[in-house]
Amino acid sequence: MTLCLAWKIDNDIYFASDSRITRRKDSDIIITSDTAPKIFSIPIRIYGTDLNLSYDKDWGFCLTGGYISGSGYADTLSEVLSNLQIADTISIVDYKNILNIAFNVYEQICKQLVETGNKEALAKILISGICPNDINREFLFEFGFEISSDGISYYSKEIDLNEHMMHFIGDDDAINYFKENLKRHLSNEYFRLLKKICKNSDLKTVGGHLQAGILKKTHPKYFSIYGILESELEFNGEVYWSVKNNWFFRSIKLKPELFEGNIHVRKTFLMPFEKERLALIEEADRKSELELQEKIKKKKKNGA
């Protein structure tokens, strides 16, 4: 399972997620990975009758539940939706028609999993994008399933996401914890609370590092996946403490200045924990001063 958040600020739609994969063994929860990508960019390419490319943008995708099926679906969806062709004079290029194609693929994959008796592999997903016909029409959809005594049914629903309103998919306990502990509706607070949940040993299905994606009309491709800057104290083993910056991109360390053979890794990183980083700098200075004073005391004592 996981915890995926979606919210809207100034017509931008944000995704944030943890990176943990777990499985159940009897009544125990087994952690299988803390480095799983759960937010993806889905390329949408629409070709005309003469194969001219009329639309080439990215939509956002976030998953919870069965990771193998969910990530496999993301890959399949990328292949399907990057190869759309229209008849220039009669096709209706509306985002709902494209999402109907996406849901058809999702439902087929889910039904195949159920036929093999693997209900735990079922995944829920969020998809966000901007309509090919209307740049002012951003959207958020949820694909999911419901299990009842009559069997399993699948749904596709559009989420009416208003300013600062949040939408959740994932672990129910983690969702309830988030709602109960949220104090202010600010993006940095959302990231802080998600990080707190990742470190909460009582919520074992959510953990690892944070990942994020933002749908922005001003971005050349609309949707992009972002890294997260997190910081920690580091001791040099002698006297001084310093702050170590960890540039996490999907849980791997990817410094923005990384070069190889004049090739630059060009990723943007969010800094939701800047207040905490500045507090760590002050703490590092304070701890370094104490270490230095202690070393001077020992030196004087040994020399006496």
Side-chain angles (χ1 to χ4, degrees):
M1 193 56 78
T2 190
L3 178 58
C4 179
L5 318 174
W7 68 93
K8 184 178 180 180
I9 296 178
D10 296 331
N11 294 320
D12 296 336
I13 296 178
Y14 290 69
F15 282 169
S17 172
D18 69 316
S19 61
R20 175 166 290 177
I21 301 176
T22 58
R23 63 180 178 86
R24 288 191 177 275
K25 184 178 181 181
D26 300 324
S27 60
D28 296 328
I29 295 175
I30 309 299
I31 298 171
T32 57
S33 174
D34 270 344
T35 60
K38 297 183 181 180
I39 297 175
F40 301 84
S41 293
I42 304 297
I44 313 296
R45 298 194 187 104
I46 302 174
Y47 298 86
T49 304
D50 296 328
L51 295 182
N52 55 302
L53 187 59
S54 62
Y55 184 87
D56 184 10
K57 299 294 183 180
D58 288 350
W59 292 359
F61 177 103
C62 186
L63 69 91
T64 70
Y67 185 76
I68 294 177
S69 59
S71 57
Y73 173 64
D75 181 67
T76 303
L77 199 62
S78 293
E79 287 295 319
V80 171
L81 298 188
S82 63
N83 290 279
L84 300 175
Q85 186 175 11
I86 60 173
D88 293 337
T89 57
I90 62 174
S91 295
I92 302 174
V93 191
D94 183 80
Y95 71 97
K96 290 185 178 180
N97 291 331
I98 296 173
L99 285 166
N100 285 339
I101 296 173
F103 180 70
N104 182 282
V105 176
Y106 167 81
E107 190 173 24
Q108 287 191 58
I109 290 175
C110 288
K111 288 180 177 179
Q112 290 171 8
L113 289 170
V114 172
E115 287 176 0
T116 61
N118 195 5
K119 293 181 181 179
E120 289 188 357
L122 292 172
K124 291 184 177 182
I125 66 169
L126 297 177
I127 297 180
S128 182
I130 294 174
C131 179
N133 281 337
D134 184 1
I135 192 174
N136 294 314
R137 186 68 175 90
E138 66 279 347
F139 60 83
L140 176 68
F141 265 72
E142 178 182 330
F143 293 173
F145 58 91
E146 294 176 344
I147 301 176
S148 67
S149 57
D150 297 326
I152 301 177
S153 59
Y154 307 95
Y155 64 82
S156 167
K157 63 181 179 181
E158 187 164 10
I159 308 301
D160 186 12
L161 202 60
N162 296 318
E163 189 82 0
H164 296 293
M165 175 183 171
M166 301 200 71
H167 186 70
F168 307 85
I169 56 173
D171 183 272
D172 287 339
D173 291 336
I175 291 174
N176 291 334
Y177 183 94
F178 194 101
K179 291 179 178 178
E180 291 169 359
N181 289 274
L182 181 62
K183 305 300 182 186
R184 295 186 299 165
H185 284 280
L186 297 170
S187 289
N188 286 357
E189 293 299 318
Y190 302 155
F191 283 110
R192 289 188 182 104
L193 188 48
L194 180 57
K195 184 177 181 180
K196 184 178 180 181
I197 292 174
C198 286
K199 295 181 177 296
N200 189 331
S201 59
D202 293 330
L203 299 170
K204 293 183 179 179
T205 64
V206 181
H209 295 287
L210 308 189
Q211 48 194 295
I214 307 177
L215 180 77
K216 299 173 73 73
K217 295 173 185 174
T218 56
H219 190 279
K221 284 287 188 178
Y222 289 160
F223 186 84
S224 183
I225 301 172
Y226 291 78
I228 303 286
L229 173 62
E230 298 186 35
S231 304
E232 62 182 347
L233 285 176
E234 186 176 56
F235 185 53
N236 69 355
E238 296 180 1
V239 175
Y240 294 106
W241 288 81
S242 61
V243 174
K244 180 182 179 182
N245 291 325
N246 295 314
W247 304 87
F248 287 109
F249 181 78
R250 287 179 161 176
S251 296
I252 64 171
K253 294 180 181 179
L254 189 68
K255 293 182 178 180
E257 66 271 18
L258 181 62
F259 283 85
E260 184 66 34
N262 289 323
I263 299 174
H264 179 206
V265 177
R266 187 175 176 269
K267 293 303 298 181
T268 303
F269 287 79
L270 303 180
M271 300 176 64
F273 310 116
E274 180 64 6
K275 184 172 70 174
E276 289 82 354
R277 190 182 73 87
L278 295 174
L280 285 177
I281 291 174
E282 293 181 0
E283 185 178 354
D285 291 341
R286 185 171 61 254
K287 291 172 74 73
S288 295
E289 182 63 26
L290 291 174
E291 292 282 354
L292 183 59
Q293 291 177 5
E294 187 65 25
K295 189 169 185 177
I296 293 173
K297 286 180 182 179
K298 290 182 178 179
K299 188 175 182 180
K300 288 182 178 179
K301 183 177 180 181
N302 292 333

